[in-house]
């Protein structure tokens, strides 16, 4: 019984965009001698202070909603909440890295054994963590006041164990305890181009990662790396590359200082994945590119349809001061059913860009049934050269950027020192097709994608120097102004 006290009152206050109930918590002071019965149960761990929430909001739970509810877009189910836990286990910061890792990993190990799955909540504070191995039927809810400092190559890893090839994992979710606020991951690298993978997803079905911010420092690897859990054999036609992630969501995420050639999210493999409300500074926001395309790339040597990328939905994707919001390159794979809506960029080279495979090791692949609608726009806000480019995108720079330059090395370095900087070019680059009428030789991996339903817009701020909205492969020009004939036809 509570007498003459101030108690929290939880009020239903609408729903998020995903139809998830959102609750505001206010306070109500009870009059003297008034009595109410309130069940209060805050989990705690021996040796740590009893958990006292700030009561600014009620924990959100799954992005899908209640048990059995799903994230459905365009009649496709991308994630279903299969976990319910009335008594989530709290984990707290403090102590050594080994102690913090042990507390979190042990809580996850206990949660996976619960009959209806388990929820683990990370209390506010700073955590310093090595790799955490996620398990089936577990939701990790992280307070938005949490910062996690990485001290290992990977942080959260699910279904990726090439040495043992364990069974598929199911029903894994990582989210914030707030419907919109993000927790933070600091890659904690003082030197550029170190290996860092905040989230690694392998042989998993039904997963969701949401409401996070990654503070990067031009790391190697994407922040969310969706990759097959293959074995380590260096052989062709390796069927273990079919151990891929299926049915997942990555949404409401931001990433700063992404290295050119890497991304907030990259799929090497995967099927039926929703990527929504994502923003990255530098590099790429989404990179649909399986492997490297080099001779030692055994993902691509496994076959055109083994471990490929299919059924990907992208909505509200943005990039700034980078190369592009969405990048497409198939190498050997046949990549099918890709759909993007509202793809924008600011002071980047492009909003959407695609290139053909340049490999001579294997049969060149292509994208099929790939389309974009909604708004595609590239904004320019200043006259600085802040857009990332690689050697092939150099062929499409503006006329003013060619002045005084002889080759790719003449362009200023980007912050990572591994690529170059130039000014924004055009909203859409289709360097995988010769022009709007002719795709080009199929054996050379030429393909196009459909932007006929998109509202392709020039900059809404300062005008772009190039008047075109879409460029194609045959538009490639050397820095000296001559046609890049050799590259166009390679």
């Amino acid at each position: 019984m509570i007498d003459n006290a101030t108690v929290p009152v939880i009020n239903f206050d609408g729903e998020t965009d995903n139809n998830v109930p959102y609750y505001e918590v206010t306070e109500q002071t009870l009059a003297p001698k008034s009595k109410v019965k309130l069940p209060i149960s805050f989990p705690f761990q021996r040796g740590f202070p009893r958990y006292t929430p700030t009561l600014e909001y009620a924990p959100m739970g799954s992005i899908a909603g209640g048990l059995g509810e799903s994230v459905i877009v365009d009649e496709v189910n991308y994630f279903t909440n299969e976990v319910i836990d009335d008594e989530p286990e709290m984990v707290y910061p403090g102590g050594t890295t080994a102690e913090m890792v042990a507390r979190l990993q042990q809580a996850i190990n206990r949660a996976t054994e619960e009959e209806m799955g388990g929820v683990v909540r990370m209390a506010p504070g700073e955590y310093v963590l090595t790799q955490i191995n996620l398990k089936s039927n577990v939701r990790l809810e992280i307070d938005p006041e949490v910062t996690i400092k990485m001290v290992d190559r990977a942080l959260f890893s699910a279904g990726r164990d090439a040495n043992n090839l364990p069974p598929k994992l199911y029903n894994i979710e990582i989210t914030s305890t707030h419907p919109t606020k993000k927790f933070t991951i600091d890659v904690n690298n003082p030197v550029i181009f170190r290996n860092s993978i905040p989230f690694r997803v392998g042989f998993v079905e039904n997963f969701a990662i949401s409401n996070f911010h990654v503070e990067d420092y031009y790391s190697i690897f994407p922040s969310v790396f969706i990759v097959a859990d293959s074995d380590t054999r260096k052989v062709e036609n390796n069927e273990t590359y079919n151990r891929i992630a299926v049915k997942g969501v990555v949404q409401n995420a931001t990433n700063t200082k992404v290295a050119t050639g890497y991304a907030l999210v990259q799929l090497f493999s995967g099927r039926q994945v929703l990527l929504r409300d994502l923003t990255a500074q530098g590099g790429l926001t989404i990179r649909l590119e399986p492997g490297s395309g080099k001779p030692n790339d055994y993902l691509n040597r496994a076959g055109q349809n083994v471990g490929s990328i299919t059924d990907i939905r992208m909505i509200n994707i943005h990039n700034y001061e980078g190369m592009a919001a969405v990048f497409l390159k198939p190498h050997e794979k046949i990549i099918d059913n890709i759909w993007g809506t509202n793809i924008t960029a600011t002071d980047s080279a492009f909003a959407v860009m695609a290139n053909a495979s340049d490999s001579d090791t294997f049969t060149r692949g292509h994208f099929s049934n790939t389309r974009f609608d909604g708004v595609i726009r590239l904004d320019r806000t200043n006259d600085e050269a802040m857009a990332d480019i690689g050697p092939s995108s150099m062929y499409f720079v503006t006329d003013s950027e060619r002045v005084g330059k002889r080759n790719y090395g003449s362009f200023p370095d980007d912050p990572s020192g591994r690529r170059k900087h130039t000014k924004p070019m055009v909203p859409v680059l289709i360097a995988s097709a010769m022009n709007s009428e002719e795709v080009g030789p199929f054996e050379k991996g030429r393909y196009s994608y459909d932007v006929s339903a998109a509202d392709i817009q020039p900059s809404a701020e300062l005008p772009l120097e190039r008047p075109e909205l879409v460029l194609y492969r045959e538009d490639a020009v050397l820095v000296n102004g001559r046609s890049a004939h050799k590259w166009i036809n390679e």
Side-chain angles (χ1 to χ4, degrees):
M1 304 295 287
I2 296 179
D3 187 4
N4 195 18
T6 299
V7 300
V9 178
I10 301 178
N11 304 296
F12 178 71
D13 193 39
E15 296 178 338
T16 67
D17 291 340
N18 299 325
N19 299 318
V20 178
Y22 178 62
Y23 300 89
E24 290 289 346
V25 179
T26 60
E27 290 186 343
Q28 174 180 321
T29 301
L30 302 179
K33 303 301 181 183
S34 63
K35 298 180 184 293
V36 295
K37 183 177 290 186
L38 289 174
I40 298 177
S41 176
F42 293 139
F44 65 98
Q45 291 174 291
R46 189 175 302 278
F48 290 88
R50 186 178 295 273
Y51 177 58
T52 304
T54 61
L55 297 180
E56 292 178 356
Y57 53 86
M60 182 186 73
S62 173
I63 62 167
L67 183 67
E69 295 185 305
S70 300
V71 176
I72 297 175
V73 176
D74 304 308
E75 300 182 345
V76 177
N77 184 344
Y78 290 98
F79 174 73
T80 300
N81 177 22
E82 301 288 358
V83 173
I84 186 170
D85 187 352
D86 293 333
E87 296 182 352
E89 181 170 351
M90 292 298 306
V91 174
Y92 298 85
T96 66
T97 294
E99 290 169 340
M100 285 186 278
V101 169
R103 287 198 296 273
L104 180 55
Q105 188 65 67
Q106 289 166 11
I108 290 171
N109 294 348
R110 286 189 289 269
T112 193
E113 298 297 329
E114 295 187 31
E115 183 178 0
M116 298 298 294
V119 173
V120 177
R121 287 188 184 146
M122 294 177 65
E126 182 177 281
Y127 298 75
V128 181
L129 300 177
T130 56
Q131 181 171 312
I132 299 297
N133 296 310
L134 302 175
K135 304 293 180 70
S136 291
N137 304 313
V138 173
R139 181 167 65 250
L140 182 59
E141 298 179 359
I142 304 177
D143 191 282
E145 296 302 317
V146 164
T147 294
I148 303 172
K149 289 185 176 291
M150 295 178 60
V151 288
D152 206 347
R153 182 173 183 266
L155 178 57
F156 295 114
S157 186
R160 176 70 172 166
D161 186 354
N163 293 319
N164 298 301
L165 299 185
K168 182 190 291 187
L169 299 182
Y170 293 86
N171 312 324
I172 293 174
E173 183 173 8
I174 303 177
T175 190
S176 166
T177 56
H178 191 279
T180 59
K181 293 181 181 179
K182 305 174 181 71
F183 64 90
T184 299
I185 296 175
D186 181 354
V187 301
N188 198 30
N189 279 338
V191 180
I192 64 172
F193 270 68
R194 294 273 185 89
N195 291 349
S196 293
I197 310 172
F199 303 94
R200 184 171 58 193
V201 182
F203 198 31
V204 180
E205 184 170 338
N206 198 46
F207 67 92
I209 306 170
S210 64
N211 300 346
F212 65 91
H213 169 69
V214 176
E215 294 181 356
D216 206 341
Y217 189 53
Y218 309 109
S219 299
I220 295 175
F221 290 106
S223 290
V224 181
F225 191 20
I226 302 177
V227 57
D229 183 35
S230 59
D231 62 27
T232 58
R233 292 176 297 152
K234 294 179 171 57
V235 297
E236 296 190 356
N237 304 313
N238 185 345
E239 291 289 331
T240 65
Y241 281 101
N242 270 329
R243 292 166 52 88
I244 67 173
V246 176
K247 191 183 176 188
V249 175
V250 182
Q251 72 174 32
N252 191 31
T254 52
N255 201 157
T256 54
K257 296 184 179 180
V258 178
T260 308
Y262 296 95
L264 193 168
V265 180
Q266 180 171 4
L267 278 78
F268 268 21
S269 305
R271 175 164 54 87
Q272 198 173 324
V273 179
L274 171 65
L275 308 172
R276 180 166 59 180
D277 301 328
L278 307 176
T279 296
Q281 175 199 31
L284 303 161
T285 306
I286 294 176
R287 183 183 181 190
L288 301 184
E289 181 180 7
S292 66
K294 296 179 180 179
N296 62 349
D297 178 1
Y298 286 94
L299 165 61
N300 280 287
R301 298 181 76 164
Q304 289 196 299
N305 293 295
V306 176
S308 190
I309 302 169
T310 56
D311 305 328
I312 307 301
R313 188 72 171 95
M314 302 173 289
I315 304 173
N316 301 335
I317 310 302
H318 185 69
N319 184 270
Y320 64 101
E321 300 172 9
M323 181 174 283
V326 174
F327 175 78
L328 312 176
K329 192 171 184 179
H331 296 302
E332 185 192 33
K333 301 302 181 186
I334 297 173
I335 298 176
D336 185 58
N337 193 25
I338 310 299
W339 181 6
T341 300
N342 297 335
I343 313 298
T344 59
T346 302
D347 297 322
S348 301
F350 312 97
V352 182
M353 64 180 298
N355 206 347
S357 173
D358 51 11
S359 176
D360 294 322
T361 303
F362 37 70
T363 302
R364 296 184 182 184
H366 60 272
F367 279 73
S368 62
N369 300 312
T370 297
R371 58 188 168 123
F372 291 86
D373 56 20
V375 172
I376 300 178
R377 187 178 66 247
L378 175 62
D379 287 316
R380 181 171 75 93
T381 65
N382 57 64
D383 199 41
E384 301 296 320
M386 305 175 72
D388 292 333
I389 56 169
S392 62
S393 47
M394 167 191 68
Y395 298 125
F396 303 94
V397 299
T398 63
D399 289 341
S400 68
E401 283 292 276
R402 294 192 179 94
V403 175
K405 298 182 178 69
R406 295 183 298 109
N407 51 38
Y408 179 66
S410 302
F411 289 84
D413 287 342
D414 74 350
S416 75
R418 300 296 183 95
R419 292 291 193 274
K420 300 296 181 179
H421 260 173
T422 191
K423 295 178 181 178
M425 289 176 262
V426 298
V428 177
L429 174 65
I430 309 179
S432 54
M434 293 300 289
N435 53 56
S436 61
E437 303 295 329
E438 178 189 1
V439 173
F442 188 79
E443 65 274 12
K444 290 187 177 181
R446 305 294 188 249
Y447 64 92
S448 192
Y449 55 91
D450 185 4
V451 292
S452 61
D455 178 12
I456 305 176
Q457 302 176 358
S459 174
E461 301 189 41
L462 297 178
L464 298 173
E465 290 189 29
R466 297 199 66 138
E468 305 95 335
L469 296 177
V470 183
L471 292 177
Y472 292 87
R473 195 174 187 91
E474 69 177 13
D475 296 315
V477 175
L478 298 174
V479 175
N480 61 16
R482 298 176 182 174
S483 172
H485 180 79
K486 181 179 178 182
W487 180 82
I488 289 171
N489 293 287
E490 73 176 14

